[in-house]
Amino acid sequence: MLITHDTECALGMLVELLNTSPEACGREDLPDLAALRDFVVRREISDVGPLGQADLEAVRALRERLRAVFAASSTREASDLVNRLVAQAGTTPRLTDHDGHDWHMHYFAPGAALADHLGAEGGMALAFILVAGERERLRRCEAPDCARVFVDLSRNRSRRYCDSRTCGNRLHVAAYRARQRSAAEAPDALAAPAR
């Protein structure tokens, strides 16, 4: 699957945003405007004006609408959700080369509210995944106690965990320990008394 750098960045932003929700991490990771500003800076989101409480609430609402795309039961349902997101964001595709970056596409209108900006960029990135017939790459972590999402960009679509160092490693260690316990509890056939 050919995916542009811009789309990969938008997907990364989208996943990080989705994983700030209480559903994903057990707490609200966008509790206030300072956290929202930190998110904007960390993700290097450009063309963002002053942020207010309404922006925080709009981004949280958008986050749940984006999460629904990952939970969609079919490509038709996912595409309907993406179409509504993109339409509501009022996408305005334009080429730009701001801040020393090479030419790339922005899908939000200049001066757009942050939620519209994120909805347009995230919605278009999701649209590219759906158009490529790759909806199965939109995944939820397979760790039983994790609700984080991710986009599996591995070549063979084999990624199972949101983070192999945390969820993946934790499950592998738990499976190893279970095998060790099972082996220790199994009767040793060689130690049985001879008759």
Side-chain angles (χ1 to χ4, degrees), residues 37-81:
R37 286 186 194 102
D38 287 345
F39 174 79
V40 167
V41 169
R42 190 171 52 257
R43 294 307 308 185
E44 299 179 7
I45 300 170
S46 63
D47 200 15
V48 175
L51 297 172
Q53 189 63 31
D55 292 301
L56 178 61
E57 292 167 13
V59 168
R60 286 179 183 162
L62 171 68
R63 180 179 65 189
E64 298 316 308
R65 295 177 63 213
L66 288 165
R67 182 173 273 283
V69 176
F70 280 72
S73 60
S74 68
T75 301
R76 169 76 55 206
E77 180 185 353
S79 65
D80 288 345
L81 292 166

Side-chain angles (χ1 to χ4, degrees), residues 1-2 128-140 142 150-161:
M1 177 177 85
L2 178 62
F128 293 139
I129 294 291
L130 296 175
V131 165
E134 300 284 352
R135 185 176 68 88
E136 71 276 1
R137 290 182 183 272
L138 305 178
R139 298 199 174 153
R140 181 177 168 184
E142 289 184 21
F150 63 94
V151 179
D152 180 2
L153 296 178
S154 67
R155 184 175 295 202
N156 62 359
R157 299 176 189 92
S158 61
R159 188 171 161 197
R160 297 175 51 208
Y161 306 109

Side-chain angles (χ1 to χ4, degrees), residues 29 50 52 73 95 99 106 126 139 157 162 168 172 190 192 194-195:
D29 270 358
S73 60
L95 283 167
D99 299 327
H106 277 190
L126 290 169
R139 298 199 174 153
R157 299 176 189 92
C162 63
H172 288 108
L190 296 176
R195 293 185 189 207

Side-chain angles (χ1 to χ4, degrees), residues 18-38:
L18 293 176
N19 289 333
T20 64
S21 75
E23 180 182 343
C25 60
R27 66 185 180 283
E28 176 59 71
D29 270 358
L30 284 180
D32 52 33
L33 282 173
L36 183 60
R37 286 186 194 102
D38 287 345

Side-chain angles (χ1 to χ4, degrees), residues 17 45 140 146 162 166-167 171:
L17 176 63
I45 300 170
R140 181 177 168 184
C146 184
C162 63
T166 54
C167 287
L171 287 177

